[in-house]
Amino acid sequence: MSTTEHTSAGLTERIVPRDLTRSADSALSRRIEQCKAEGRPALVGYLPAGYPTVEESAAAAVALGRNGADIIEIGIPYSDPVMDGPVIQAATTQALANGFRVEDAFTVVRAVAEQTDAVPVVMTYWNPVLQAGVDEFARRLKEAGGAGIITPDLIPDEASEWFAASEEHGLDRIFLVAPSTTRERMDMTVSAASGFVYAVSVMGVTGTRDQVSSAAEDVVARARGAGAERVCVGLGVSSREHVLEIGAYADGVIVGTALVRALGEGGPQAVGELAAHLAGRD
């Protein structure tokens, strides 16, 4: 992420116009609010499109949605990731070697939208969106049934095209915050986001961990202090215990590496079994 900081409230308002602030009435926000009403955090699962094949990644995503995931992040493989750990890097490298194309991600999103009641979103570095054309990417995602995009390397002050396209096509903008996020940038990011704010709980790359970082709760509290209505925590979640621990203070719990590892070792069935465990259904 850019280290450039803008400390002026007036500048923040110019970057994030008032008519582009978050909406509480989207499929994504409604699902998280539904989970809150049920007294539990939303379970958010990540899988890369095209791994190990497009067909298997779609089947795995459907299994994830049918076994307890409320929101499914479909990752777009990228050749130069900045925050993916070794398990996800290996999976996306294989997908690219097998000929993955961006349009394959829309195929997986459509499978989730049509075959489960989970809410699908795309997680992608920004370059593939630029290559496809921001408005065109947004249009195709919406047509496939997608609800928004998580953009780990895009910051609000560089997202003017995305603001316009997301409003035009009714998609949520999911930006990331981290332990290193300053107060000024936290305010800016929360104002720009919709659906939920993605709170990174540890510094560094993704991967399962034995314990959830103690920084996670602080990041969530800071995001709420900046006005975030829904905050989901990711990086390091690998067990039902982690889900319960994070769910005590966050609105959603994001699981990635553990699911990708399950897919590689046991196929879509293993993904479904792990999802059921994480959701407390086993």
Side-chain angles (χ1 to χ4, degrees):
M1 294 184 185
S2 170
T3 58
T4 302
E5 302 296 346
H6 297 277
T7 59
S8 164
L11 180 55
T12 300
E13 291 174 3
R14 289 197 296 275
I15 292 171
V16 187
R18 290 302 181 189
D19 61 349
L20 292 181
T21 53
R22 61 192 179 282
S23 167
D25 189 26
S26 68
L28 193 54
S29 58
R30 287 195 300 270
R31 175 55 59 87
I32 296 174
E33 293 301 323
Q34 175 188 339
C35 294
K36 284 186 187 181
E38 295 173 359
R40 63 180 180 85
L43 179 61
V44 186
Y46 165 90
L47 289 171
Y51 173 73
T53 65
V54 175
E55 293 75 15
E56 286 176 284
S57 65
V62 169
L64 182 56
R66 288 179 174 176
N67 285 277
D70 299 287
I71 299 162
I72 299 178
E73 303 176 12
I74 302 303
I76 291 186
Y78 188 50
S79 59
D80 190 25
V82 296
M83 66 176 287
D84 294 336
V87 172
I88 293 177
Q89 280 194 35
T92 56
T93 296
Q94 182 176 331
L96 290 169
N98 289 344
F100 170 84
R101 298 172 296 175
V102 170
E103 65 189 62
D104 296 330
F106 302 130
T107 298
V108 181
V109 167
R110 183 172 286 106
V112 172
E114 294 180 350
Q115 299 179 47
T116 80
D117 64 357
V119 179
V121 298
V122 160
M123 185 171 195
T124 181
Y125 295 99
W126 197 237
N127 192 57
V129 180
L130 288 176
Q131 292 292 323
V134 178
D135 188 77
E136 176 67 8
F137 188 100
R139 182 189 65 79
R140 295 188 66 187
L141 177 59
K142 183 67 174 183
E143 288 181 350
I149 308 178
I150 301 167
T151 52
D153 62 343
L154 182 70
I155 55 177
D157 30 335
E158 297 174 358
S160 57
E161 280 190 272
W162 175 218
F163 289 144
S166 63
E167 291 296 311
E168 174 67 23
H169 299 285
L171 296 171
D172 277 316
R173 301 176 298 274
I174 303 149
F175 293 106
L176 277 67
V177 296
S180 60
T181 303
T182 65
R183 177 179 176 180
E184 292 78 17
R185 186 155 293 280
M186 182 71 76
D187 290 343
M188 179 189 296
T189 303
V190 167
S191 294
S194 64
F196 66 88
V197 173
Y198 190 127
V200 177
S201 63
V202 295
M203 300 301 294
V205 298
T206 59
T208 59
R209 291 168 173 82
D210 293 332
Q211 294 181 324
V212 177
S213 167
S214 61
E217 190 168 359
D218 179 64
V219 176
V220 172
R222 292 175 58 216
R224 292 199 196 285
E229 298 174 9
R230 292 166 292 277
V231 186
C232 299
V233 171
L235 294 186
V237 179
S238 61
S239 70
R240 176 62 181 167
E241 290 71 27
H242 287 168
V243 173
L244 294 173
E245 179 183 349
I246 293 172
Y249 56 82
D251 302 303
V253 182
I254 302 167
V255 186
T257 296
L259 289 166
V260 177
R261 180 179 288 114
L263 176 57
E265 295 176 352
Q269 181 177 342
V271 170
E273 291 171 354
L274 178 56
H277 167 68
L278 293 166
R281 293 186 175 185
D282 57 355

